[in-house]
Amino acid sequence: MRGTFKIVIDAKWCKGCGLCLAECPKDVLQWSGARSAKGYNVPVQDETKVCTGCRLCELICPDQAIRVEGERQ
Amino acid sequence: MSEDGRKVRIIQGNEASVEGAIAAGCRFFAGYPITPASEIAELMSRRLPPVGGTFLQMEDEIASINAVIGASWGGAKACTASSGPGISLMQEGVGYAAETETPCVVINVMRGGPATGQPTISSQQDIYQARYGGHGDYEIIALVPSSAQEAYDLTIKAFNLAEEFRVPVYLLSDEIVGHTRERVVMGGPIEVRERVAPPKEGYRPYAAGPDGLLPGMPAFNDGYRLLVEGQHHDERGIRAGDDVNKSAALVQRLNDKVRKNIDRITDVERVDLDDAEVAVVCFGSTARPALEAVQSAREKGVKAGALRLRVIWPFPEKVVAELAGRARTLIVPEMNIGKLVLEVRRSAGGRAEVISLPRLGGALHTPEEVEGAIMDAVKGGNAR
Amino acid sequence: MNEIAEKYLRQEALPMIFCPGCGDGTVLGAFLRAVDELKIGDQLALVGGIGCSGWMPVYVNVDTIHTLHGRAIPVAVGLKATRPDRKVVVFTGDGDAIGIGGNHFIHAARRNVDLTVIMINNAIYGMTGGQAAPTTPSGATTQTTPYGNPEDPFDACKLAEAAGATYVARWTAGHPRQLIKAFKEAIQHPGFAFIEVMTQCPVQAGRYIKGGLDAPEFLADIRKSVVTEAQAATMPPEELAGRTRIGLLHRSERPELTQRLAALNRGEKR
């Protein structure tokens, strides 16, 4: 489970439901506190934590707003 | 069988409707047994599989009309048939077909109602149900056969109109037409409107032409990426129910595409109308005694005539208005509480006296009864 | 937006109507991934009913029909009968499928017509504002059961199996990987395939039935309420009581309707 992963959350589609935060086994996501144009609190990747690229956040996101970039090596 | 492929058979109106449907290219039927329409389903179950078609006996009439809608979008000319109670159950589906501009044919072999009413007895009580049975504003087309021959001819025409106008079309038959066995000439060179697939390039499924009509009929699974939407929608099929302007435009067009093209749809038979002082406005099985009465009155020197409607909706108001300008009296016999007379009276606009001749209970008017009304009118009598 | 969504969603129809945290979007995402893995995007015909779940196929850029309330299945039967070569998938809800559309549901299962029916079960009428559904738990308060639901809920999977469905599975919106696998199996299954997906509806069921759970809490609650066959095998009876079984629940083989209809077209008597 090595590799560097970037979690891209599209503020255009995110509704701030928090499912991705709850789903992440490594607590990599946290609330940004910043409001999107639609008024939602959009999560961001905590760069101090290690994302394993499991893509559970991408799979659980109801709004298809999350893209996990990077490949498992 | 003659050289041009015509054949003559003695069959019921219900059987003639099936033969007409298959001649028109119907390849899908879904239905549920009901008197007096069951023969249509029975014969469809025999006739469709050998010609590559599909017959499905559904769990109810709601499923039947919805399966017809699915089949029509799947690419098949599709049809269902029923009578009063079943047609009532279908109304939401008919409205859906109107909203989504799904070509389909609904045969109503009318019987007496309301409720279970008179399962085995004829009526013409459902004419307004055909026009106004579903919720919301939409127009349909309804044809009314008077004979087994017309059950054949007008079923073909119903399919053609459904394709041309992308609208549900009713064949308002009745128990008498449906169950009377008589001579029917079938086959030969008949006019059938084939389904034409619209061009895919830049296709917008609900973008109408200047006449309000959608060009052709696409099918599922042919690469259009269709979105068929029962909510009010824009030209792409995307929902627009919360857009007052787009919603208004769609509903206006759904009505106008029938109303404004009425001259292409109107179909009447004029009998001895040129000099008629008394005209009988008639349709369906009631036209049979009405035409006999007119002939009998003529033989007695009375200037009587008949306007027989083969298309009842959209109502041929211009034709009736023109007739009201020439004839003194219009008589409207019908097997109901007196319904079409309202449209006749509206169209006549006071230019002619309009006499209602309703009949309940399911027994057809006798020729003598209609002739009596004609004679009363001629004498300036008190028939009202 | 992720690549799968960019590839398959009907962009001009977006945004999706779903409330924040609704499970419908997760289920749709799993469906798109199943379609992508099977490479059948150009063979799909989708049918939606009425209710939140009925909107799911509207956002997929393939041939789609959004039908009347309860009538998605008969429309799908008509579509499938005319084009048996296509993969016809129905998106429906608990109210749509086994409330108003229950008659169609059992008869389509009886016919074993080759459809995939995905039933989103949120245990409530969500779109109309949170009224009791045929799946609402006994005793639950909703907008139409203010004193607690006096009725018992349907088990849709048992109903499907009893009516003759030949593939029956139940998962939750918290099982996206299992959903992808189940959707692939169901689509490839030659017969009536039924998948119930228990989903969180934070806005209606969360508020009225669950007393204000948010989406992650609600999903965790659903996960706690279910059990797989493997888990059940090792679980003491007191812990097992009241849990809903998930996983592949039934699979059998029986002649499929459209193949039988095709035999009629070839002149074979049944």
Side-chain angles (χ1 to χ4, degrees):
Chain A
M1 296 293 174
R2 288 284 179 270
T4 309
F5 301 95
K6 191 176 173 205
I7 303 172
V8 182
I9 302 186
D10 194 335
K12 186 180 174 191
W13 303 113
C14 173
K15 292 176 184 162
C17 69
L19 282 169
C20 54
L21 271 84
E23 207 67 12
C24 179
K26 300 291 181 188
D27 293 330
V28 171
L29 290 161
Q30 60 180 12
W31 293 114
S32 67
R35 299 277 159 183
S36 68
K38 287 181 178 168
Y40 294 118
N41 185 352
V42 178
V44 290
Q45 182 173 2
D46 180 346
E47 301 290 350
T48 67
K49 305 266 176 70
V50 178
C51 171
T52 63
C54 74
R55 296 179 192 270
L56 272 174
C57 55
E58 191 178 304
L59 283 173
I60 205 74
C61 176
D63 298 293
Q64 312 304 321
I66 301 179
R67 175 166 31 207
V68 179
E69 295 178 352
E71 292 296 326
R72 286 189 176 187
Q73 292 165 356
Chain B
M1 192 186 286
S2 67
E3 277 178 19
D4 63 357
R6 290 179 201 270
K7 56 182 174 185
V8 179
R9 288 178 61 199
I10 307 291
I11 54 173
Q12 288 185 340
N14 280 348
E15 294 175 88
S17 284
V18 173
E19 295 303 332
I22 287 171
C26 175
R27 291 297 178 268
F28 183 90
F29 180 94
Y32 185 87
I34 189 168
T35 305
S38 295
E39 296 84 5
I40 296 176
E42 290 171 4
L43 192 56
M44 283 285 191
S45 74
R46 283 180 182 277
R47 292 284 279 114
L48 278 172
V51 296
T54 301
F55 167 86
L56 286 177
Q57 184 168 323
M58 300 303 288
E59 54 273 19
D60 58 27
E61 291 87 348
I62 301 174
S64 302
I65 184 70
N66 283 285
V68 160
I69 289 164
S72 189
W73 284 102
K77 289 186 181 177
C79 173
T80 184
S82 188
S83 188
I87 299 290
S88 293
L89 288 177
M90 289 183 192
Q91 288 308 316
E92 192 189 17
V94 171
Y96 183 90
E99 167 86 24
T100 54
E101 301 181 69
T102 305
C104 57
V105 172
V106 178
I107 302 175
N108 180 359
V109 187
M110 290 185 283
R111 71 188 218 186
T116 309
Q118 295 175 287
T120 62
I121 306 286
S122 194
S123 96
Q124 295 176 323
Q125 294 173 318
D126 303 342
I127 55 176
Y128 276 90
Q129 179 194 47
R131 186 171 181 186
Y132 293 125
H135 58 279
D137 288 335
Y138 62 91
E139 289 274 357
I140 49 82
I141 296 171
L143 292 74
V144 273
S146 289
S147 63
Q149 181 66 56
E150 274 192 345
Y152 178 79
D153 296 337
L154 293 187
T155 301
I156 296 172
K157 184 166 182 161
F159 276 92
N160 289 345
L161 289 168
E163 296 297 323
E164 183 177 2
F165 291 92
R166 294 277 303 269
V167 68
V169 177
Y170 277 97
L171 185 82
L172 289 177
S173 180
D174 63 62
E175 191 276 333
I176 291 169
V177 170
H179 282 164
T180 300
R181 286 180 195 278
E182 52 191 345
R183 183 176 184 272
V184 179
V185 182
M186 298 188 294
I190 57 169
E191 189 190 331
V192 171
R193 188 182 179 93
E194 302 296 344
R195 239 178 223 196
V196 180
K200 283 180 193 150
E201 191 68 29
Y203 181 62
R204 286 176 301 158
Y206 290 100
D211 55 1
L213 301 179
L214 304 180
M217 173 68 186
F220 265 44
N221 311 318
D222 285 346
Y224 289 96
R225 298 179 188 275
L226 294 166
L227 175 55
V228 181
E229 175 57 68
Q231 189 176 117
H232 291 337
H233 42 265
D234 63 17
E235 293 183 343
R236 301 166 299 176
I238 308 278
R239 72 180 178 125
D242 55 358
D243 184 317
V244 293
N245 294 319
K246 286 177 181 170
S247 293
L250 175 67
V251 174
Q252 191 71 51
R253 185 175 64 75
L254 291 179
N255 287 271
D256 283 351
K257 73 173 183 177
V258 173
R259 290 180 180 183
K260 293 195 171 171
N261 291 307
I262 186 169
D263 293 343
R264 284 159 66 176
I265 305 169
T266 292
D267 184 355
V268 298
E269 181 191 14
R270 293 176 171 85
V271 179
D272 292 335
L273 282 182
D274 289 345
D275 62 345
E277 293 172 358
V278 179
V280 182
V281 180
C282 56
F283 64 99
S285 57
T286 320
R288 300 168 74 111
L291 292 181
E292 201 175 320
V294 166
Q295 191 184 351
S296 175
R298 275 275 163 186
E299 285 163 4
K300 291 166 186 158
V302 174
K303 288 183 176 174
L307 179 71
R308 186 168 72 86
L309 312 185
R310 277 190 287 247
V311 171
I312 194 173
W313 307 126
F315 187 75
E317 53 190 24
K318 276 193 290 187
V319 175
V320 171
E322 187 267 337
L323 178 61
R326 292 192 289 115
R328 200 176 70 228
T329 306
L330 306 181
I331 299 172
V332 188
E334 47 188 331
M335 275 200 293
N336 55 41
I337 196 81
K339 284 179 163 165
L340 198 71
V341 68
L342 303 174
E343 277 292 271
V344 174
R345 199 166 274 147
R346 180 183 69 79
S347 303
R351 287 184 297 277
E353 181 186 31
V354 178
I355 293 172
S356 180
L357 205 60
R359 199 168 226 290
L360 294 173
L364 200 55
H365 297 69
T366 62
E368 294 74 24
E369 186 182 353
V370 181
E371 190 179 342
I374 294 171
M375 293 308 184
D376 283 348
V378 169
K379 284 183 282 190
N382 54 7
R384 287 291 183 277
Chain C
M1 185 173 285
N2 60 54
E3 285 146 15
I4 291 286
E6 278 170 3
K7 185 172 174 184
Y8 289 102
L9 292 188
R10 195 187 292 271
Q11 300 296 326
E12 67 266 30
L14 299 175
M16 296 191 276
I17 57 159
F18 309 125
C19 304
C22 168
D24 287 7
T26 305
V27 181
L28 182 60
F31 174 75
L32 297 180
R33 286 166 177 86
V35 166
D36 197 57
E37 289 179 22
L38 290 175
K39 297 184 171 58
I40 53 155
D42 57 352
Q43 299 169 41
L44 279 178
L46 304 185
V47 185
I50 293 293
C52 307
S53 58
W55 286 102
M56 292 164 65
V58 168
Y59 303 113
V60 186
N61 196 17
V62 300
D63 290 321
T64 302
I65 182 165
H66 191 193
T67 66
L68 292 165
H69 193 26
R71 317 304 167 205
I73 286 176
V75 169
V77 169
L79 261 179
K80 181 70 183 180
T82 48
R83 291 296 294 267
D85 55 321
R86 295 291 143 156
K87 306 290 189 190
V88 181
V89 181
V90 174
F91 290 84
T92 179
D94 45 324
D96 198 60
I98 60 172
I100 190 170
N103 198 26
H104 311 311
F105 177 76
I106 59 173
H107 285 279
R110 173 181 65 80
R111 294 182 176 104
N112 197 31
V113 54
D114 184 17
L115 303 177
T116 298
V117 175
I118 299 169
M119 189 192 86
I120 304 294
N121 182 359
N122 61 2
I124 203 163
Y125 284 95
M127 186 156 274
T128 47
Q131 301 82 14
T135 44
T136 299
S138 176
T141 52
T142 68
Q143 289 292 68
T144 50
T145 55
Y147 308 114
N149 184 14
E151 302 179 13
D152 290 320
F154 251 135
D155 182 328
C157 289
K158 282 184 180 166
L159 180 65
E161 184 181 344
T166 46
Y167 180 99
V168 180
R170 181 191 286 124
W171 291 102
T172 84
H175 295 85
R177 291 196 204 281
Q178 291 88 338
L179 279 175
I180 294 170
K181 180 168 177 281
F183 290 152
K184 284 164 66 178
E185 288 173 357
I187 290 168
Q188 290 178 305
H189 175 78
F192 189 88
F194 176 66
I195 299 174
E196 174 185 352
V197 189
M198 298 167 67
T199 55
Q200 73 281 12
C201 165
V203 170
Q204 305 295 359
R207 179 166 38 166
Y208 298 121
I209 299 179
K210 298 290 181 183
L213 295 188
D214 67 15
E217 291 166 344
F218 199 158
L219 189 57
D221 188 69
I222 290 175
R223 280 182 176 137
K224 267 190 290 185
S225 73
V226 299
V227 62
T228 63
E229 195 174 355
Q231 291 166 336
T234 60
M235 207 174 262
E238 62 273 17
E239 208 178 319
L240 197 57
R243 289 184 194 252
T244 303
R245 188 65 67 87
I246 57 169
L248 176 61
L249 303 176
H250 173 78
R251 196 171 201 167
S252 57
E253 276 184 38
R254 204 154 60 78
E256 189 274 332
L257 178 73
T258 58
Q259 290 176 16
R260 292 168 123 178
L261 293 174
L264 296 185
N265 290 139
R266 292 192 301 269
E268 298 167 22
K269 286 201 173 154
R270 307 305 297 177

